[in-house]
């Protein structure tokens, strides 16, 4: 295994970690940052797969524009996912 | 041995599918859709990749038989733009739903409320 394959493995691992964290975080702003990180690592992978035009488009649209649109939507709605109280009453999960 | 690109792309699709199926928040579902779209694009690009060849840009020392497959790259360029348009439209629908119902939980959005 040469060093190029090591870089591939590291980038794929970071991308999957970012995806899992983006799904699991309850703060939606942090989730959007995780999604932008997934797009950034995917754009690095596109560049390593010899597709530089797709890498440019993914970095501009996926990491910047899509994250900005999500942040505008969060600004118009609410930031946190609603979560139940510590000891929920009988009406909470009705 | 399966390529690491195939593993990463299919794992991204599965993570996005998990978010769409399990999560209750509407914006979190849209984040899952966006992750799934990125996974599909990565899978398409990695199908057209041939190991050891260079980018499909014809220049001095690069002939047509030394480049990777350019057709999935054109396909993915179109798919990225379609994906961001779909995401923007779904986010505007989510904003309108929040203004009408006052919540983003998909279990609490019913027809005759508010």
């Amino acid at each position: 295994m040469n060093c190029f394959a090591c870089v591939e493995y590291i980038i794929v691992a970071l991308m999957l970690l970012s995806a899992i964290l983006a799904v699991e975080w309850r703060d939606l702003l942090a989730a959007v940052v995780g999604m932008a990180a997934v797009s950034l690592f995917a754009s690095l992978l596109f560049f390593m797969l010899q597709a530089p035009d797709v890498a440019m488009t993914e970095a501009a649209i996926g990491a910047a524009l899509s994250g900005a649109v999500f942040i505008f939507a969060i600004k118009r709605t609410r930031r946190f996912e609603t979560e139940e109280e510590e000891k929920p009453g009988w009406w909470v999960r009705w | 041995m399966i390529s690491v690109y195939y593993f990463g792309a299919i794992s991204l699709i599965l993570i996005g599918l998990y978010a769409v199926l399990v999560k209750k928040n509407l914006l979190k579902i849209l984040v899952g859709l966006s992750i799934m779209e990125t996974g599909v694009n990565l899978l398409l690009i990695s199908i057209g990749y041939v190991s050891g060849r260079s980018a499909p840009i014809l220049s001095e020392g690069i002939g047509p038989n030394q480049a990777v497959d350019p057709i999935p790259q054109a396909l993915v360029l179109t798919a990225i733009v379609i994906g961001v348009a779909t995401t923007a439209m779904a986010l505007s629908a989510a904003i309108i739903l929040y203004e009408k119902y006052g919540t983003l939980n998909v279990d609490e959005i019913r027809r005759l409320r508010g």
Side-chain angles (χ1 to χ4, degrees), chain A residues 14-57:
Chain A
L14 282 174
M15 186 180 70
L16 291 181
L17 181 67
S18 303
I20 291 172
L21 287 178
V23 169
E24 287 302 324
W25 269 329
R26 303 194 77 93
D27 190 355
L28 287 172
L29 204 55
V32 169
V33 170
M35 191 198 70
V38 170
S39 286
L40 180 66
F41 290 124
S43 123
L44 285 177
L45 285 180
F46 285 149
F47 185 73
M48 294 171 78
L49 282 169
Q50 304 291 331
D53 45 355
V54 182
M56 280 191 295
T57 311

Side-chain angles (χ1 to χ4, degrees), chain B:
Chain B
M1 179 179 169
I2 184 170
S3 168
V4 63
Y5 294 110
Y6 289 167
F7 176 74
I10 293 173
S11 302
L12 273 191
I13 294 172
L14 289 181
I15 289 169
L17 190 63
Y18 167 77
V20 170
L21 289 180
V22 172
K23 296 297 175 182
K24 293 289 194 294
N25 192 297
L26 200 52
L27 288 180
K28 187 57 76 68
I29 291 174
L30 292 179
V31 166
L33 266 180
S34 183
I35 288 176
M36 195 155 56
E37 175 218 333
T38 307
V40 169
N41 291 337
L42 191 58
L43 184 63
L44 281 174
I45 286 291
S46 62
I47 283 173
Y49 179 65
V50 182
S51 179
R53 296 193 183 180
S54 66
I57 302 169
L58 295 183
S59 59
E60 287 292 325
I62 306 297
N65 52 359
Q66 289 145 6
V68 299
D69 196 0
I71 293 177
Q73 303 190 5
L75 186 67
V76 165
L77 272 181
T78 315
I80 286 173
V81 179
I82 291 175
V84 73
T86 311
T87 304
M89 200 196 69
L91 281 173
S92 64
I95 290 173
I96 292 174
L97 276 177
Y98 182 75
E99 286 175 352
K100 184 168 171 57
Y101 292 99
T103 181
L104 279 177
N105 195 341
V106 293
D107 283 339
E108 294 178 5
I109 293 175
R110 293 281 187 266
R111 186 159 237 237
L112 293 176
R113 182 181 294 191

